Amino acid sequence: MSFLLRSHLTRFALRNVRQSSDVSFESAQKTMKLMRILSLTVVPFSIIAVGVNAYMIEVEHGKHAPPEYKEYAHIGIMTKKYPWGDGKHTLFHNPRSQGIKGKGYDEQ
Amino acid sequence: MMVRFTPFHLVDGSPWPLLSALGAFGVVGGLMSMMHQHLFGTLFMYVGLIFLLTILWWRDVDRESSLLGFHTKGVQKNMYSGMIWFIMSEVFFFIGFFWTFFHSGLNSVIDLGMEWPPFGVMVLNPYGVPLLNTAVLISSGITVTCSHYSLLISDFNSCAIWLANTIMLGVLFTGLQYMEYLESSFGMNDSVYGSIFFMATGFHGFHVIIGSIFLFISFLRILGGKLSPSRHVGFECAIWYWHFVDVVWIFLYACIYGWGSL
């Protein structure tokens, strides 16, 4: 009886269990060589190039002041106060370019 | 000596599941206390408890697998499937946010000025920091593949080094997103655009943090000699989760930052 149970379980295990190494050692080495080249050339180059570009865009963006504050019904919605501070500032409030309804920008 | 005739892991009794359930209940209560009574103590206490319990529970799983030998091939196969099901559930979680975004973005309403992005919302330049974030995450996908294949060819030093690089790129992404959040000219309460932007990118950032922690735990396990070229279930699951986080970002970038800024 336990022999039948064990043979069923063995058959289940053999049919449904993933084998440990799907990749052979040689193919893993080849892939590793390609990945190493990509990681040492493409990765740092792309991050530096895109990073420099992003930095220049941020510097350019910081040069001009935010537009004059205008109150719109759909901007700065305040139907319930926040649990922190005075209840009117979002968690990542930007005092320079996010205005408070009825007040305008915190920083001019 | 204990002999088991089943390929399954019949776990020993443990207090962690019950305590985690009570902790999760406390977190929900703490959230309600924070939102309605403006009190933060309960929330911080129960979030801290959940954090400790995750460490204790998964420490036991690590011990059961690496030290006690309970993880047979059958158990490993079930763990892989479990991770795939979990990632699928997370995919549908994000599909909800993308649905919301396109529901609002494709149906112009008079309240938002009959346009998208809404009138008065100054969207972020997608070629600035968001593009850098994309480069960082795709690069981290390449370095984590490097790490995995190093393990497969038994180069443990390279595995650890490339994994450390991946984690640093993940931390860089989180730092850049944090700075973007501080600098952005719109907040979460600036129309449905701001709301869905911060919900989607915020939850994505949270998933990046979780993925980085998962990779970091794998890093510690490699240093501790608990992973081998033929046995590294947790590491592979962490890598799958990281690739999922990367793919979600690609969609976020294309839909919200890219199309959403046109």
Side-chain angles (χ1 to χ4, degrees):
Chain A
M1 179 37 202
S2 91
F3 167 72
L4 281 171
L5 181 63
R6 254 194 286 171
S7 66
H8 278 296
L9 289 167
T10 314
R11 210 175 309 134
F12 166 80
L14 285 171
R15 277 200 196 139
N16 294 289
V17 159
R18 214 182 98 121
Q19 292 310 312
S20 60
S21 43
D22 290 306
V23 277
S24 70
F25 188 82
E26 292 79 22
S27 89
Q29 265 188 321
K30 275 204 210 109
T31 313
M32 185 57 207
K33 201 162 158 233
L34 168 67
M35 287 288 143
R36 196 183 289 126
I37 291 169
L38 287 178
S39 303
L40 292 171
T41 55
V42 170
V43 162
F45 174 74
S46 65
I47 290 177
I48 290 170
V50 174
V52 164
N53 179 47
Y55 178 74
M56 292 190 334
I57 288 177
E58 288 298 310
V59 162
E60 190 58 45
H61 181 72
K63 281 188 186 149
H64 32 92
E68 184 199 329
Y69 177 73
K70 288 203 193 91
E71 211 169 276
Y72 295 116
H74 63 282
I75 301 283
I77 299 171
M78 214 45 88
T79 46
K80 185 179 165 72
K81 282 173 103 167
Y82 292 108
W84 50 79
D86 68 351
K88 293 191 177 154
H89 295 81
T90 57
L91 200 54
F92 297 92
H93 179 81
N94 185 343
R96 204 169 150 257
S97 54
Q98 285 173 28
I100 308 290
K101 261 201 173 121
K103 242 179 67 184
Y105 297 133
D106 285 341
E107 242 176 56
Q108 292 304 333
Chain B
M1 189 188 83
M2 188 151 35
V3 179
R4 294 170 190 261
F5 291 106
T6 133
F8 305 109
H9 179 198
L10 303 170
V11 291
D12 296 320
S14 163
W16 311 137
L18 176 63
L19 288 175
S20 300
L22 293 172
F25 183 75
V27 164
V28 170
L31 278 170
M32 294 200 299
S33 169
M34 180 191 84
M35 282 189 258
H36 295 291
Q37 298 166 329
H38 296 193
L39 296 168
F40 293 85
T42 317
L43 179 66
F44 283 158
M45 184 173 84
Y46 279 99
V47 166
L49 178 67
I50 289 285
F51 176 70
L52 284 172
L53 283 167
T54 55
I55 293 172
L56 289 165
W57 191 337
W58 278 320
R59 184 182 68 158
D60 279 354
V61 175
D62 174 49
R63 287 171 173 179
E64 285 160 4
S65 67
S66 315
L67 303 174
L68 297 173
F70 283 123
H71 286 195
T72 63
K73 286 289 176 203
V75 171
Q76 286 182 351
K77 180 220 159 225
N78 286 330
M79 296 232 163
Y80 282 124
S81 328
M83 192 65 195
I84 288 175
W85 283 114
F86 174 61
I87 291 176
M88 283 304 299
S89 77
E90 299 262 72
V91 166
F92 279 96
F93 179 69
F94 277 99
I95 283 175
F97 289 125
F98 281 102
W99 189 332
T100 309
F101 178 75
F102 284 111
H103 174 91
S104 301
L106 293 169
N107 295 303
S108 308
V109 285
I110 198 85
D111 311 63
L112 304 177
M114 285 310 278
E115 62 181 36
W116 189 263
F119 192 77
V121 169
M122 290 204 331
V123 295
L124 297 164
N125 184 347
Y127 298 112
V129 175
L131 184 61
L132 175 59
N133 278 337
T134 311
V136 164
L137 274 188
I138 294 180
S139 303
S140 72
I142 297 174
T143 55
V144 85
T145 310
C146 251
S147 175
H148 187 201
Y149 276 84
S150 299
L151 183 62
L152 290 178
I153 62 172
S154 305
D155 188 354
F156 295 96
N157 287 331
S158 294
C159 176
I161 290 169
W162 285 119
L163 190 51
N165 280 336
T166 311
I167 295 163
M168 285 195 297
L169 286 171
V171 169
L172 176 64
F173 175 90
T174 307
L176 285 168
Q177 272 295 75
Y178 174 68
M179 279 172 34
E180 275 287 277
Y181 272 24
L182 289 175
E183 286 295 317
S184 93
S185 63
F186 59 92
M188 197 170 187
N189 60 348
D190 287 336
S191 83
V192 66
Y193 183 90
S195 179
I196 193 62
F197 177 90
F198 284 100
M199 280 299 270
T201 59
F203 267 112
H204 175 263
F206 181 61
H207 282 67
V208 169
I209 292 169
I210 298 293
S212 305
I213 293 173
F214 200 170
L215 288 171
F216 179 67
I217 298 298
S218 298
F219 177 71
L220 292 179
R221 292 180 77 217
I222 286 167
L223 294 184
K226 291 189 169 157
L227 302 185
S228 83
S230 58
R231 175 184 277 268
H232 48 267
V233 175
F235 185 39
E236 274 202 66
C237 291
I239 294 173
W240 290 351
Y241 197 75
W242 194 252
H243 286 311
F244 151 73
V245 153
D246 187 10
V247 167
V248 169
W249 173 259
I250 304 289
F251 276 99
L252 275 176
Y253 183 70
C255 300
I256 297 183
Y257 287 93
W259 178 85
S261 69
L262 292 172

